[in-house]
Every structure is written in structure tokens, then in C-alpha cells.
Amino acid sequence: VQLQASGGGLVQPGGSLKLSCAASEFAVSRRYAVAWFRQAPGKEHEFVAAMPRNNDRALYEDSVKGRFTISRDYAENTVYLQMNSLKPEDTAVYSCAASSSIILSSLRSRAMYSYWGLGTLVTVSS
């Protein structure tokens, strides 16, 4: 299973970015939950958003609710993270991951993800 995140860059506070995670078809299939995590400089990895296997209900970290949207396109084998109203505290390296877990609450834990892609840097600054 291969994943590759892209779309990061420098954006001003209040701006938007859309991250993409290109995946092998297997990783984006309905057999896997997909998620985005981030790591800010000097901080631990943080859960951002996850889409469960059945695409039923996405999970979000509280600080990004209402601003970020996770989605996936099976035809394009891609997972997206639309980020709006960006804040300086959103600055981090964002990574995508895939998990075979079927337990919704477990998807907030990095330990549940077996497959990871290289991250993409998002910098929010004026």
C-alpha cells in the first residue's frame, strides 16, 4: 500500500488549501479507513480527520471542525483534506494514513494505522 501527500504550501491566515493523498487503489478501497495527521514543530503527532471504511461519518479533531473536510474519490484513488479559514496554529507537516480498523473511535489513534505516506508542509503565516 503506497500513499503520497501533496498540496502543502504557504498561505495567509484565513486562507484555504486542499491537500491530496494519492494512494494505490487498494488503500483507497472500502477495505480501509483513511486519515490525516499532522505534526507541528516541536510537538507530537496530532489526529486531524478520518473517514471510516464505509464513508458513513467522518471524524474531526475539535479544533478543525467546521473548517476542514476530509473526502475520498474512489475513481481517482485519492483522499483529500480541504482546509478553510486557516490559522497559524494549523502550521504543520500533514501526513495521510490508511487503517483496516472497523472501530470508529479507534481511528483517532496513530497506532491503528499500518500505512503512512510522506507528509506535506503547510505553513500559515502573514
Side-chain angles (χ1 to χ4, degrees):
V1 176
Q2 297 180 332
L3 304 166
Q4 178 62 59
S6 63
L10 174 63
V11 62
Q12 292 186 340
S16 297
L17 276 178
K18 186 173 186 177
L19 305 184
S20 300
C21 177
S24 60
E25 182 177 353
F26 194 57
V28 186
S29 74
R30 290 171 174 82
R31 295 179 59 180
Y32 286 87
V34 291
W36 289 91
F37 287 79
R38 66 186 180 185
Q39 186 174 27
K43 295 188 177 180
E44 297 291 323
H45 279 91
E46 178 184 40
F47 168 78
V48 177
M51 180 71 77
R53 291 170 60 174
N54 59 4
N55 268 11
D56 183 29
R57 179 164 57 102
L59 296 176
Y60 294 96
E61 195 270 332
D62 286 346
S63 69
V64 308
K65 281 181 181 177
R67 300 189 298 122
F68 291 11
T69 303
I70 186 172
S71 62
R72 64 176 150 188
D73 185 326
Y74 294 110
E76 297 294 327
N77 300 327
T78 303
V79 179
Y80 299 100
L81 184 69
Q82 176 67 49
M83 305 185 296
N84 299 326
S85 302
L86 283 161
K87 304 175 181 179
E89 51 264 43
D90 294 319
T91 295
V93 174
Y94 286 71
S95 301
C96 54
S99 169
S100 60
S101 175
I102 61 172
I103 302 173
L104 187 63
S105 60
S106 74
L107 296 180
R108 297 179 181 273
S109 171
R110 292 184 71 239
M112 301 307 299
Y113 293 83
S114 301
Y115 307 104
W116 291 83
L118 294 177
T120 185
L121 176 62
V122 173
T123 303
V124 184
S125 175
S126 55

